[in-house]
C-alpha cells in the first residue's frame, strides 16, 4: 500500500509540476511576448479606423505586484485621438479609411473623435468611409468623411433619438420581491422603475429635453459636413427619407452607391496607385501603439497629469471600468507631490455610484487644488457621483452632448417579506435593544428605520449640494433648484452654471497648461492599477468567471437585464448615482 501511495504521490507531483510549467509559459508569453515588436508604417499608407477594440477613454496601466511587472495599453480613445493628431503631419499617412466600422463609444466620445477627424482633414489628406449599413451613431461619425460610400443593397438609419426605461413595480408586486427606496430629488429616476410602472412627468420632461439637446448637437455637425440644412435633416428623420441607398444619395447624405471593391479602387486612385496593386495600410490600434511608444517628448520636464475617472464609482482599488478610491487617491497624491506636474486634468466619464467614495475623491481633489490647478474634462457622463468629483475643479469643460448634473442621492433596501410569506418562510428576531437588529430584508420596513435611512440620505444630499455650491460659487438654494436629481446636457449645464465651457480633452489640457503657467510640456496618464496573480489568470481565460459562463448560456441582452437588477439590489450605502437607467436609440 505504501508503494502504491508513493507512486500516486509521484504522479500527482509530476502533474502539478507540468501544470505550473505550462501556465508559467503561457503567462510569460502573454506578458512579455510583444515587448520588442514595433509597427512598420510604409510610405503612401492609409489608416484603417477600426473602432471595434476601442472601449474606454483610457486603456489603462497595470502593475502586476506578484511579478514586479508593469504594462501599459494604448488602445484607448485618448490614444486614438493622439494618433490621428500625429497622422495629420505624418508624411507616410495619406488618408483614413473607415470601413464597416462599429463601436460602443458613447455619443460624446464619438463627438470628440469626429472633431479630431475634422481637424485631420485640414491637412488636405482624405477621409473615405464605406459601410454595408450605417446605424445612426455610425453615420454621425462617418458623415465627417470627404466621400461616403454605401453598399447598393445597404441601408442608412436616420430617424432621431429615442429612449427606453424598464419598470419593475408590477414584477415586485407579483413576486413579493420589493425594493424599499429612500431618496432625495424629484428627478431621481434611477429608482423610479422600482416605484412606478410608467414614467413620471418630471422624468419624461428631463428625458425629452436631454434627447432634444443631444439630437440638436448631432444634426448641427452633420449639417455642416454634408451641407444639408438642419430643418431638412429633421424632415428626413421624420419621414424616414433615406431608408434606401438611392434616397440617401438624393438627399446628399451619401456620395456613392457601390460595392466594396469599387471603394478600394477609388482609394488607390487617390493614392495614385495602379488598380492591380495593393495599397499600404495600418490599423488605428497598431498606429496608436507606435505613436504612444515612440513620440514622447522627454525633453519637456513640465508635465500635465491626466487622471482618468471612468466607469461606476465603487469601493477598493478600481480598474479601467470602475472608479476605485485606492487608484484615484493614489494618482492624485502622486501628481500633487511631483514637482514637474504643473497642473492636472481629471477626465470624468461616469454615471456616479458610491457616495462615500465620491466624497473621498472630492476631498483629495480639494487638497490637490491648494497645490496646483485641477481642470475637469467631461466625457459621455459626469453625472451624480461623477459630478460630485468634478464640482470643485478650477475649470470644467464638457461636450455639448455630455450628460451631467443629476445632483441627488438615494438608497435601496431589498425586501423579501412578502416573498417569504408566499413560500411559507418565517423569520423571528431576538435582540437586546430596540434597534440592535438594524434592517432585515425578511421583515417589513418599519417607519423608525425608514426615518433613520431618510435622515442619512438627506445629510448626504445636503453635503453634495454644499460641495457644488462652494465649487461653482452658487448659493445652496440655486444648486437645489437645478439639483433634485435632474440631468442636463453639457450645453444646458453652461446656462445654469454647472459647466464653464464647451470643449474636449485638448481644450482642457490647454487650459490646465495656462493655469499651470507652462508652454512646453508633456502629458502623463493615470491611474496605475495594482493587480495580483489571480487577476492575470482570469484575464487570460485560465479561470473563467461565473459571469462569463452565465452570459454564454443566456445571451448578451438577457445578461444585461440580469446585471441591471443585480446592480440595483446589491448597492451598499447611499448612492450618488445618475438619475438615468435608459438606453438611447
Amino acid at each position: 500500500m505504501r508503494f502504491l501511495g508513493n507512486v500516486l504521490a509521484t504522479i500527482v507531483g509530476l502533474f502539478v509540476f507540468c501544470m505550473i510549467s505550462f501556465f508559467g509559459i503561457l503567462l510569460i508569453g502573454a506578458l512579455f511576448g510583444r515587448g520588442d515588436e514595433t509597427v512598420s508604417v510604409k510610405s503612401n499608407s492609409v489608416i484603417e479606423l477600426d473602432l471595434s477594440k476601442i472601449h474606454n477613454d483610457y486603456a489603462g496601466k497595470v502593475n502586476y505586484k506578484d511579478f514586479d511587472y508593469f504594462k501599459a495599453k494604448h488602445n484607448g480613445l485618448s490614444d486614438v485621438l493622439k494618433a490621428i493628431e500625429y497622422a495629420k503631419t505624418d508624411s507616410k499617412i495619406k488618408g483614413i479609411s473607415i470601413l464597416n466600422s462599429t463601436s460602443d463609444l458613447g455619443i460624446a466620445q464619438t463627438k470628440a473623435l469626429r472633431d479630431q477627424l475634422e481637424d485631420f482633414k485640414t491637412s488636405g489628406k482624405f477621409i473615405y468611409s464605406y459601410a454595408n449599413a450605417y446605424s445612426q451613431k455610425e453615420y454621425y461619425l462617418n458623415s465627417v468623411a470627404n466621400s461616403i460610400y454605401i453598399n447598393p443593397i445597404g441601408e442608412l438609419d436616420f430617424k432621431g433619438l429615442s429612449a427606453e426605461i424598464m419598470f419593475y413595480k408590477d414584477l415586485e408586486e407579483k413576486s413579493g420581491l420589493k425594493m424599499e427606496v429612500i431618496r432625495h430629488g424629484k428627478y431621481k429616476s434611477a429608482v423610479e422603475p422600482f416605484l412606478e410602472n410608467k414614467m413620471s412627468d418630471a422624468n419624461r420632461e428631463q428625458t425629452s429635453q436631454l434627447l432634444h439637446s443631444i439630437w440638436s448637437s448631432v444634426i448641427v455637425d452633420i449639417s455642416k459636413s454634408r451641407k444639408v440644412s438642419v430643418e431638412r435633416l429633421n424632415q428626413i428623420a421624420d419621414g424616414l427619407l433615406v431608408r434606401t441607398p438611392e434616397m440617401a444619395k438624393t438627399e446628399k447624405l451619401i456620395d456613392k452607391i457601390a460595392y466594396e471593391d469599387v471603394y478600394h479602387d477609388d482609394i488607390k486612385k487617390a493614392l495614385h496607385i495602379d488598380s492591380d496593386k495593393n495599397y499600404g495600410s495600418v490599423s488605428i490600434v497598431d498606429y496608436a501603439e507606435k505613436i504612444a511608444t515612440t513620440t514622447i517628448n522627454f525633453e519637456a520636464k513640465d508635465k500635465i497629469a491626466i487622471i482618468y475617472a471612468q466607469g461606476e464609482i465603487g469601493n477598493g482599488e478600481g480598474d479601467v471600468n470602475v472608479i476605485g478610491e485606492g487608484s484615484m487617491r493614489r494618482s492624485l497624491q502622486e501628481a500633487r507631490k511631483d514637482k514637474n506636474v504643473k497642473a492636472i486634468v481629471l477626465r470624468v466619464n461616469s454615471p456616479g455610484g458610491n457616495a462615500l467614495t465620491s466624497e473621498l475623491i472630492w476631498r483629495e481633489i480639494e487638497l490637490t487644488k491648494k497645490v496646483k490647478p485641477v481642470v475637469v474634462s467631461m466625457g459621455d457622463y459626469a453625472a451624480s457621483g461623477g459630478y460630485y468629483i468634478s464640482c470643485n475643479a478650477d475649470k470644467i469643460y464638457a461636450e455639448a452632448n455630455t450628460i451631467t448634473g443629476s445632483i441627488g442621492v438615494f438608497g435601496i433596501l431589498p425586501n423579501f417579506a412578502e416573498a417569504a410569506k408566499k413560500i411559507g418562510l418565517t423569520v423571528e428576531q431576538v435582540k437586546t435593544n430596540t434597534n440592535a437588529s438594524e434592517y432585515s430584508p425578511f421583515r417589513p420596513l418599519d417607519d423608525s428605520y425608514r426615518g433613520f435611512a431618510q435622515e442619512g440620505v438627506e445629510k448626504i444630499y445636503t453635503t453634495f449640494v454644499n460641495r457644488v455650491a462652494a465649487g461653482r460659487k452658487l448659493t445652496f438654494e440655486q444648486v437645489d433648484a437645478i439639483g433634485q436629481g435632474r440631468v442636463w446636457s453639457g450645453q444646458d449645464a453652461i446656462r445654469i452654471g454647472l459647466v464653464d465651457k464647451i470643449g474636449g480633452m485638448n481644450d482642457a489640457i490647454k487650459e490646465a497648461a495656462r493655469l499651470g503657467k507652462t508652454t512646453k510640456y508633456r502629458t502623463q496618464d493615470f491611474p496605475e492599477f495594482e493587480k495580483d496573480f489571480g487577476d492575470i489568470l482570469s484575464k487570460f481565460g485560465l479561470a473563467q468567471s461565473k459571469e462569463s459562463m452565465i452570459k454564454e448560456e443566456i445571451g448578451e441582452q438577457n445578461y444585461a437585464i440580469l446585471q441591471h437588477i443585480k446592480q440595483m439590489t446589491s448597492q451598499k450605502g447611499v448612492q450618488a448615482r445618475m438619475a438615468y437607467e435608459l438606453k438611447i436609440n
Side-chain angles (χ1 to χ4, degrees):
M1 289 296 292
R2 181 175 295 179
F3 171 75
L4 291 176
N6 290 337
V7 171
L8 181 60
T10 301
I11 293 172
V12 171
L14 287 171
F15 175 77
V16 171
F17 173 76
C18 291
M19 291 300 291
I20 291 174
S21 299
F22 174 71
F23 287 137
I25 292 170
L26 281 179
L27 288 172
I28 290 171
L31 291 173
F32 302 101
R34 290 194 51 162
D36 296 326
E37 289 186 21
T38 57
V39 177
S40 176
V41 180
K42 299 178 181 179
S43 297
N44 213 29
S45 287
V46 171
I47 291 176
E48 294 178 347
L49 192 62
D50 180 359
L51 302 173
S52 60
K53 296 180 181 179
I54 313 300
H55 305 295
N56 297 309
D57 288 329
Y58 178 51
K61 299 176 184 177
V62 179
N63 177 23
Y64 295 102
K65 295 181 290 184
D66 297 323
F67 296 94
D68 191 24
Y69 176 71
F70 173 83
K71 185 176 181 62
K73 289 185 176 181
H74 302 290
N75 62 337
L77 178 61
S78 60
D79 300 296
V80 169
L81 298 178
K82 290 174 186 175
I84 294 172
E85 182 179 20
Y86 185 85
K88 182 180 174 183
T89 56
D90 186 346
S91 60
K92 292 183 177 180
I93 299 298
K94 303 301 181 184
I96 293 175
S97 168
I98 313 175
L99 178 61
N100 283 318
S101 185
T102 60
S103 82
D104 59 5
L105 296 176
I107 193 69
Q109 291 174 311
T110 303
K111 163 71 172 172
L113 178 56
R114 196 181 186 282
D115 288 346
Q116 194 66 64
L117 291 171
E118 280 281 15
D119 182 67
F120 175 85
K121 286 199 306 182
T122 62
S123 66
K125 300 178 181 182
F126 65 81
I127 300 176
Y128 283 4
S129 80
Y130 178 93
N132 292 324
Y134 289 102
S135 72
Q136 195 158 241
K137 187 179 70 174
E138 289 160 9
Y139 180 75
Y140 174 51
L141 175 65
N142 283 263
S143 64
V144 74
N146 300 96
S147 294
I148 303 175
Y149 293 66
I150 193 170
N151 188 290
I153 56 171
E155 58 184 27
L156 193 159
D157 185 25
F158 194 82
K159 61 184 184 304
L161 301 180
S162 65
E164 290 182 350
I165 302 177
M166 186 178 292
F167 292 85
Y168 310 109
K169 184 181 178 182
D170 290 346
L171 174 64
E172 290 179 278
E173 292 178 354
K174 290 178 181 179
S175 66
L177 301 174
K178 186 179 180 182
M179 296 297 140
E180 297 286 1
V181 175
I182 298 94
R183 63 174 174 171
H184 184 111
K186 64 180 181 179
Y187 290 98
K188 207 64 188 172
S189 56
V191 293
E192 189 175 88
F194 297 110
L195 302 173
E196 307 290 343
N197 54 22
K198 64 178 182 179
M199 293 178 72
S200 64
D201 291 341
N203 191 11
R204 186 173 294 278
E205 174 194 350
Q206 71 166 350
T207 303
S208 177
Q209 184 171 335
L210 181 66
L211 290 178
H212 278 89
S213 182
I214 293 173
W215 177 244
S216 176
S217 68
V218 165
I219 59 174
V220 164
D221 285 343
I222 295 174
S223 175
K224 290 178 182 176
S225 295
R226 299 304 302 171
K227 295 180 174 54
V228 178
S229 72
V230 168
E231 181 183 12
R232 184 56 186 168
L233 288 173
N234 274 316
Q235 291 171 350
I236 291 170
D238 288 338
L240 300 179
L241 302 182
V242 291
R243 57 188 181 273
T244 68
E246 291 75 18
M247 295 171 76
K249 189 169 187 294
T250 299
E251 294 292 347
K252 301 179 182 178
L253 265 61
I254 61 109
D255 297 293
K256 198 165 185 177
I257 302 170
Y259 289 100
E260 188 179 327
D261 57 291
V262 176
Y263 171 75
H264 290 297
D265 286 342
D266 286 355
I267 289 179
K268 292 175 186 178
K269 291 177 184 176
L271 296 172
H272 306 292
I273 296 175
D274 292 340
S275 59
D276 59 343
K277 294 182 179 179
N278 295 324
Y279 60 86
S281 63
V282 58
S283 76
I284 189 61
V285 172
D286 287 341
Y287 190 71
E289 175 77 24
K290 176 180 175 62
I291 299 308
T293 55
T294 61
T295 62
I296 300 174
N297 178 19
F298 288 104
E299 292 181 1
K301 283 187 70 175
D302 289 354
K303 294 185 288 186
I304 303 296
I306 303 176
I307 301 177
Y308 290 88
Q310 59 189 27
E312 296 213 358
I313 299 174
N315 300 309
E317 171 65 12
D319 55 32
V320 292
N321 296 308
V322 176
I323 302 169
E325 173 198 345
S327 57
M328 288 300 297
R329 293 181 71 186
R330 191 171 61 247
S331 298
L332 286 161
Q333 291 166 8
E334 185 176 337
R336 185 167 75 231
K337 294 173 183 176
D338 187 342
K339 65 180 182 180
N340 292 325
V341 172
K342 302 304 178 184
I344 295 167
V345 172
L346 181 68
R347 173 67 173 185
V348 181
N349 203 345
S350 171
N354 186 276
L356 176 57
T357 303
S358 301
E359 167 72 9
L360 295 174
I361 295 172
W362 172 90
R363 174 61 179 169
E364 208 64 59
I365 293 170
E366 192 71 6
L367 294 174
T368 303
K369 238 176 56 173
K370 296 176 181 178
V371 180
K372 51 193 66 174
V374 177
V375 177
V376 161
S377 168
M378 294 180 170
D380 290 314
Y381 301 93
S384 208
Y387 191 77
Y388 199 133
I389 67 174
S390 305
C391 68
N392 59 334
D394 294 291
K395 281 286 177 67
I396 299 178
Y397 284 76
E399 298 286 4
N401 43 29
T402 294
I403 297 175
T404 188
S406 188
I407 302 166
V409 295
F410 66 88
I412 292 181
L413 300 169
N415 191 279
F416 313 128
E418 285 297 319
K421 185 178 179 181
K422 287 182 178 181
I423 63 174
L425 181 65
T426 302
V427 176
E428 293 289 338
Q429 292 181 340
V430 178
K431 53 191 176 184
T432 61
N433 295 83
T434 304
N435 295 300
S437 62
E438 291 190 328
Y439 173 73
S440 170
F442 296 102
R443 297 174 68 85
L445 178 64
D446 61 61
D447 292 339
S448 176
Y449 191 86
R450 180 181 288 277
F452 295 143
Q454 187 69 48
E455 182 181 286
V457 165
E458 295 299 333
K459 180 180 178 181
I460 293 178
Y461 178 76
T462 299
T463 302
F464 191 172
V465 172
N466 279 324
R467 298 289 185 244
V468 176
R472 301 306 300 163
K473 296 179 175 56
L474 299 168
T475 67
F476 184 96
E477 291 72 23
Q478 286 174 315
V479 177
D480 188 41
I482 58 177
Q484 303 288 327
R486 179 163 183 168
V487 294
W488 306 87
S489 69
Q491 190 66 58
D492 289 336
I494 285 186
R495 175 175 53 82
I496 59 177
L498 295 181
V499 167
D500 292 303
K501 291 185 178 180
I502 294 298
M505 175 78 88
N506 285 340
D507 299 301
I509 292 172
K510 289 175 183 175
E511 178 64 13
R514 186 187 71 80
L515 294 174
K517 297 180 173 58
T518 180
T519 56
K520 187 177 181 182
Y521 58 88
R522 56 190 171 95
T523 60
Q524 182 177 356
D525 292 342
F526 295 88
E528 177 184 317
F529 304 105
E530 295 184 348
K531 301 293 180 183
D532 56 27
F533 184 74
D535 298 313
I536 300 173
L537 290 179
S538 177
K539 174 184 173 185
F540 293 109
L542 301 179
Q544 189 181 22
S545 66
K546 63 180 180 181
E547 286 83 2
S548 62
M549 289 188 284
I550 294 171
K551 187 185 295 185
E552 191 174 303
E553 288 299 317
I554 68 175
E556 292 277 353
Q557 289 184 330
N558 291 329
Y559 180 74
I561 296 172
L562 179 65
Q563 281 297 95
H564 174 63
I565 296 172
K566 177 184 175 183
Q567 177 194 91
M568 297 302 290
T569 57
S570 65
Q571 292 162 6
K572 295 181 180 179
V574 178
Q575 300 290 305
R577 187 178 298 272
M578 188 188 76
Y580 252 57
E581 292 293 345
L582 58 81
K583 178 182 177 182
I584 296 178
N585 301 311

